Every structure is written in C-alpha cells, then in structure tokens.
Amino acid sequence: MTQIVTFGCRLNAYESEAIRARANEAGLKDAIIFNTCAVTGEAVRQSRQAIRKARRENPHSKIIVTGCAAQTEPGSYAQMGEVDLVLGNIEKLDAKSYFINERVRVNDIMSIRETASQMVDSFEGRARAFLQVQNGCDHRCTFCIIPYARGNSRSVGTGEVIAEARRLAEAGFPEIVLTGVDLTSYGHDLPGTPSLGALIRKILKLVPELKRLRLSSIDSIEADEELLRAIAEEERLMPHFHLSAQSGDDMILKRMKRRHARKDTIAFCDTVRRLRPDVAFGADLIAGFPTETDAMFGNSHALIDDAGLTYLHVFPFSPRKGTPAARMPQVAKPVVKERAARLRAKGEQALASRMNAMAGSAQTLLVEKAGPDFNTGRTNCFAQARFTGAAQPGAMVRVRVTGATSSQLIAEPLQ
Ligand code: SF4
C-alpha cells in the first residue's frame, strides 16, 4: 500500500489526495510519499527527520519526496541515502512520474502557465473537502519562498471548479474550503478575468445542495467590491476569514514588500464586521522579522485587539535561503522565540474571550468527530464545540452553547 505523509498547508493536503489517486492509477505498491513544505526551516527539518524514521521502519519500501521543499532544494533530498525518488510540484500530479528511471525529476516551476482541477473526491476522515482553485503567486514578499516552489499565479477555470464542487457536494461533503496560494488573485489569468467574489457566487448558485463554503486564506488588500458583496449577501459563505496579515507595523510591512498597511487590515475587519456581525478573523503573523524593534513588535501585538483577531498562526521568523529577508540584519533567535511566545499567548487570550462571548448562543455545527463520550464540530465562524449525544461526522447539528473552555465551546443539542 502507498502511504502519503503531508506537511504544510491545505493546498498540500488537497494535492496529497490527488497524489494518492495518481499513485493508485500508476499501480504504485509499498511506497511512502512525503509531500513536503518549505515555508520554514523547521518544516524542512521535520520532513528530513520523518524520512529517516520511515526508512528505519520500512527498509524495503520505495521512498519518494515531493512538495515545496523538494521543488526548492531537490539536490539536498537526492543526497539522502534514504530517498529513492525526488519529484517536483508539477511532476507529483502525473501518474507516469512514479515509475521513471531517474532519481530526480523537478522541472522549472516558473515555466508553468496553467493549473487544472485534480478532480479529487475523497478526503480521508474529513467532514469538509478542500478544493484548489488557484496555485502559485505573482508577488515577491521578501521573506517568502513559496513563489519559487509553486511558480506564478494561475487559476483553475470556473467551469472546472463548479464541476468539482458539485461532485464533492454529491459525494456528501456539506462544506468545501476553497484553497490556493494567493486566493484573492483568482481569475486574473482567465478570459474575462472572473474575480474570487464572482466565483463564490457562481458556486453557491450552481451547487444549491452545498451547505457551506469557506475560504482558506485571503490577502485583505486584494478584497474587491465583488468579494465584499458576496460576503454581505451569501449566507452560505462562512463568516470566517483568515488573513495573510504578517505584521502590524508599517515599516516592517514595507520591508516585507507587502501591499497593505496596518490600517488596511483593521479597515477590512471593521468593514466585514459591519456586513457580518458574527464574523471571526484569523491571521498569519510573523514574529521577529529582520530589523523589528520592540516598538515595531508592539504594533503587531496590538493589532490582535485593534483588528479583533481570534485565530492566530504565529510564525517565528525563519530565514529562507535565496530570499531578500535572509540577507537583512537578523533579530537574535532568543528574541524571535520570546516574541512568538508573546503573540501566541495574546492569541490564546483572544480565543478564550471569543469562546466566552459565544456562551448562551445557538449555533449550527458541522460534526467533525463522533466519539463514545463526546463529539466535536465547528460553527459557521470556525469555533470548535464539544457536545454529547448521537452524531455522525459530516452531519449538521443545532446546539445551544452552555459554556466554554479557553479554546472550545461546550454545547448541548437543541431538540
Ligand atoms: S503573497 Fe507573499 S507571502 Fe503570500 S505566497 Fe505570495 S510571496 Fe508568499
């Protein structure tokens, strides 16, 4: 049997399902495929560690490494004695790649102009399905290695997206998460340049059986009128947006080559909160970006309250070889670590106060796990809730929130 080990983002999780389908088509047996991530040095280190462990435990299996770290540093994986084959991010989606006579096949990702739907229809053990609508990125933020791993921005045709959304809804998934690298740049490369907002409305119109549509991560400065209108008018578009904010300090945002200022993040959250008062925001924040002073860090820390952020993904700055930020004056590692810990602590406080504020409310949950003692599910705004009673993963359940822990709602089914 072929095992897939996935690192990183939802796009990788989606592609791992496509890899599973391609590997099965190719008739691959007794193999372990690592779909790696290159966002941080830590992600790369973890993938190497996992590869060594897999080889020790499976001396005869074929070990294949792919994903963003394989795309950006194929040679360093090819040098590992544990590895049999290294494939690039495009090659991993081609069944023929799994039986080539070379040890490395990684092509120039910048030469890729198109991206197609992978027609994935199974997500093992998941109540929600991911749907890739876009890949790559045209921006060049100074800390980011992703464009070198995934190439320039390209969108899946609207017709293909709707066909796949319909298939996933028919396969019984009540919720679909649209995913990509730079989701808000959707459609720029397609005839008629359909926007992300237009795509959302079309999916919800042409797939009426779909109960929930969620977005993976957006760049708020690229949110246009059409997206805001979809947010305001489409009830089945979930009121939960994860922002690629990165910092709360304007000088640092400039040095990151981001296209937004601190006030833009706050303004976007205020606007959307007026349109959907039950909205919750998540955000990516980097701690310890080169040249960040205590005062600049303070602006990031304060952004959590000023924008009303709830779900934080905190990244201690990790210099990625070949990026401009890796050549900038670095903040001392212990300081980076300490700042990341302070952001996480602030994030936990924000989550706890959100959980408490939801006590007493009625919510609809998408059940994720059903257990002998209790079940868990997610609200529209992505809060996790724990409740008792009969339930099946993928079912929608109405509950009353009776209490909360610092990270979870406690609820009981409404009769
Ligand atoms: S927008 Fe910036 S951070 Fe995001 S993938 Fe593109 S280059 Fe990286």
Side-chain angles (χ1 to χ4, degrees), residues 287-292 317 329-339:
F289 181 84
T291 75
E292 185 188 67
F317 177 75
Q330 305 290 302
V331 173
K333 275 218 165 87
V335 177
V336 172
K337 227 170 153 208
E338 187 257 343
R339 286 179 183 168

mmCIF file of all heavy atoms in Angstrom, residues 287-292 317 329-339:
data_model
loop_
_atom_site.group_PDB
_atom_site.id
_atom_site.type_symbol
_atom_site.label_atom_id
_atom_site.label_comp_id
_atom_site.label_asym_id
_atom_site.label_seq_id
_atom_site.Cartn_x
_atom_site.Cartn_y
_atom_site.Cartn_z
ATOM 1 N N ALA A 287 6.765 36.749 13.817
ATOM 2 C CA ALA A 287 7.446 37.387 14.945
ATOM 3 C C ALA A 287 8.940 37.456 14.645
ATOM 4 O O ALA A 287 9.522 36.477 14.174
ATOM 5 C CB ALA A 287 7.228 36.577 16.214
ATOM 6 N N GLY A 288 9.532 38.643 14.883
ATOM 7 C CA GLY A 288 10.989 38.747 14.751
ATOM 8 C C GLY A 288 11.499 38.887 13.333
ATOM 9 O O GLY A 288 12.613 38.437 13.027
ATOM 10 N N PHE A 289 10.694 39.530 12.459
ATOM 11 C CA PHE A 289 11.185 39.793 11.101
ATOM 12 C C PHE A 289 12.427 40.669 11.204
ATOM 13 O O PHE A 289 12.517 41.531 12.095
ATOM 14 C CB PHE A 289 10.108 40.514 10.281
ATOM 15 C CG PHE A 289 10.511 40.791 8.868
ATOM 16 C CD1 PHE A 289 10.367 39.821 7.889
ATOM 17 C CD2 PHE A 289 11.047 42.028 8.503
ATOM 18 C CE1 PHE A 289 10.756 40.062 6.578
ATOM 19 C CE2 PHE A 289 11.435 42.274 7.200
ATOM 20 C CZ PHE A 289 11.298 41.298 6.237
ATOM 21 N N PRO A 290 13.427 40.478 10.326
ATOM 22 C CA PRO A 290 14.667 41.273 10.428
ATOM 23 C C PRO A 290 14.402 42.763 10.626
ATOM 24 O O PRO A 290 13.464 43.318 10.040
ATOM 25 C CB PRO A 290 15.345 41.006 9.086
ATOM 26 C CG PRO A 290 14.919 39.638 8.717
ATOM 27 C CD PRO A 290 13.490 39.535 9.198
ATOM 28 N N THR A 291 15.162 43.388 11.483
ATOM 29 C CA THR A 291 15.127 44.823 11.852
ATOM 30 C C THR A 291 13.955 45.175 12.761
ATOM 31 O O THR A 291 13.785 46.345 13.110
ATOM 32 C CB THR A 291 15.065 45.753 10.602
ATOM 33 O OG1 THR A 291 13.736 45.699 10.047
ATOM 34 C CG2 THR A 291 16.098 45.410 9.563
ATOM 35 N N GLU A 292 13.126 44.191 13.154
ATOM 36 C CA GLU A 292 11.957 44.506 14.005
ATOM 37 C C GLU A 292 12.411 44.923 15.406
ATOM 38 O O GLU A 292 13.095 44.159 16.097
ATOM 39 C CB GLU A 292 11.046 43.274 14.110
ATOM 40 C CG GLU A 292 9.743 43.499 14.865
ATOM 41 C CD GLU A 292 8.984 42.189 15.091
ATOM 42 O OE1 GLU A 292 9.493 41.330 15.854
ATOM 43 O OE2 GLU A 292 7.909 42.008 14.483
ATOM 44 N N PHE A 317 10.154 34.155 12.841
ATOM 45 C CA PHE A 317 10.818 34.380 11.555
ATOM 46 C C PHE A 317 11.864 33.301 11.291
ATOM 47 O O PHE A 317 12.657 32.958 12.177
ATOM 48 C CB PHE A 317 11.491 35.752 11.492
ATOM 49 C CG PHE A 317 12.236 35.950 10.198
ATOM 50 C CD1 PHE A 317 11.551 36.208 9.025
ATOM 51 C CD2 PHE A 317 13.621 35.814 10.153
ATOM 52 C CE1 PHE A 317 12.227 36.336 7.812
ATOM 53 C CE2 PHE A 317 14.306 35.952 8.952
ATOM 54 C CZ PHE A 317 13.605 36.219 7.782
ATOM 55 N N PRO A 329 19.592 42.335 8.324
ATOM 56 C CA PRO A 329 20.099 42.149 9.696
ATOM 57 C C PRO A 329 19.068 41.381 10.540
ATOM 58 O O PRO A 329 17.934 41.815 10.658
ATOM 59 C CB PRO A 329 20.274 43.581 10.218
ATOM 60 C CG PRO A 329 20.165 44.471 9.037
ATOM 61 C CD PRO A 329 19.444 43.737 7.957
ATOM 62 N N GLN A 330 19.471 40.233 11.060
ATOM 63 C CA GLN A 330 18.549 39.343 11.753
ATOM 64 C C GLN A 330 18.332 39.751 13.206
ATOM 65 O O GLN A 330 19.237 40.283 13.852
ATOM 66 C CB GLN A 330 19.087 37.909 11.692
ATOM 67 C CG GLN A 330 19.380 37.415 10.274
ATOM 68 C CD GLN A 330 18.117 37.183 9.452
ATOM 69 O OE1 GLN A 330 17.272 36.394 9.871
ATOM 70 N NE2 GLN A 330 17.990 37.880 8.321
ATOM 71 N N VAL A 331 17.131 39.475 13.711
ATOM 72 C CA VAL A 331 16.844 39.642 15.139
ATOM 73 C C VAL A 331 17.377 38.400 15.858
ATOM 74 O O VAL A 331 17.294 37.287 15.323
ATOM 75 C CB VAL A 331 15.320 39.790 15.354
ATOM 76 C CG1 VAL A 331 14.966 39.786 16.831
ATOM 77 C CG2 VAL A 331 14.801 41.061 14.679
ATOM 78 N N ALA A 332 17.926 38.589 17.061
ATOM 79 C CA ALA A 332 18.523 37.447 17.778
ATOM 80 C C ALA A 332 17.483 36.350 18.013
ATOM 81 O O ALA A 332 16.317 36.647 18.330
ATOM 82 C CB ALA A 332 19.075 37.922 19.116
ATOM 83 N N LYS A 333 17.885 35.109 17.831
ATOM 84 C CA LYS A 333 16.953 33.970 17.926
ATOM 85 C C LYS A 333 16.140 33.957 19.227
ATOM 86 O O LYS A 333 14.919 33.758 19.197
ATOM 87 C CB LYS A 333 17.728 32.659 17.793
ATOM 88 C CG LYS A 333 17.957 32.221 16.342
ATOM 89 C CD LYS A 333 17.835 30.691 16.200
ATOM 90 C CE LYS A 333 17.700 30.293 14.747
ATOM 91 N NZ LYS A 333 18.973 30.103 14.050
ATOM 92 N N PRO A 334 16.812 34.169 20.409
ATOM 93 C CA PRO A 334 16.001 34.142 21.651
ATOM 94 C C PRO A 334 14.906 35.207 21.661
ATOM 95 O O PRO A 334 13.802 34.971 22.174
ATOM 96 C CB PRO A 334 17.038 34.400 22.743
ATOM 97 C CG PRO A 334 18.357 34.104 22.122
ATOM 98 C CD PRO A 334 18.215 34.404 20.669
ATOM 99 N N VAL A 335 15.193 36.359 21.038
ATOM 100 C CA VAL A 335 14.197 37.435 20.962
ATOM 101 C C VAL A 335 13.053 37.009 20.043
ATOM 102 O O VAL A 335 11.871 37.206 20.355
ATOM 103 C CB VAL A 335 14.839 38.742 20.463
ATOM 104 C CG1 VAL A 335 13.791 39.842 20.319
ATOM 105 C CG2 VAL A 335 15.955 39.181 21.397
ATOM 106 N N VAL A 336 13.393 36.387 18.911
ATOM 107 C CA VAL A 336 12.368 35.901 17.973
ATOM 108 C C VAL A 336 11.438 34.939 18.706
ATOM 109 O O VAL A 336 10.214 35.043 18.645
ATOM 110 C CB VAL A 336 13.019 35.202 16.762
ATOM 111 C CG1 VAL A 336 11.955 34.526 15.892
ATOM 112 C CG2 VAL A 336 13.830 36.185 15.931
ATOM 113 N N LYS A 337 12.060 34.017 19.434
ATOM 114 C CA LYS A 337 11.306 32.984 20.167
ATOM 115 C C LYS A 337 10.389 33.627 21.215
ATOM 116 O O LYS A 337 9.199 33.307 21.301
ATOM 117 C CB LYS A 337 12.303 32.053 20.872
ATOM 118 C CG LYS A 337 11.992 30.584 20.676
ATOM 119 C CD LYS A 337 13.109 29.701 21.167
ATOM 120 C CE LYS A 337 12.508 28.357 21.579
ATOM 121 N NZ LYS A 337 13.308 27.736 22.614
ATOM 122 N N GLU A 338 10.942 34.578 21.939
ATOM 123 C CA GLU A 338 10.177 35.223 23.023
ATOM 124 C C GLU A 338 9.002 36.016 22.444
ATOM 125 O O GLU A 338 7.886 35.966 22.952
ATOM 126 C CB GLU A 338 11.126 36.127 23.814
ATOM 127 C CG GLU A 338 10.542 36.744 25.057
ATOM 128 C CD GLU A 338 10.187 38.215 24.836
ATOM 129 O OE1 GLU A 338 10.684 38.811 23.861
ATOM 130 O OE2 GLU A 338 9.354 38.740 25.609
ATOM 131 N N ARG A 339 9.222 36.700 21.329
ATOM 132 C CA ARG A 339 8.147 37.476 20.713
ATOM 133 C C ARG A 339 7.053 36.543 20.178
ATOM 134 O O ARG A 339 5.864 36.817 20.331
ATOM 135 C CB ARG A 339 8.703 38.359 19.593
ATOM 136 C CG ARG A 339 9.486 39.546 20.115
ATOM 137 C CD ARG A 339 10.047 40.407 19.010
ATOM 138 N NE ARG A 339 10.853 41.505 19.556
ATOM 139 C CZ ARG A 339 11.653 42.273 18.827
ATOM 140 N NH1 ARG A 339 11.756 42.056 17.499
ATOM 141 N NH2 ARG A 339 12.352 43.241 19.394
#
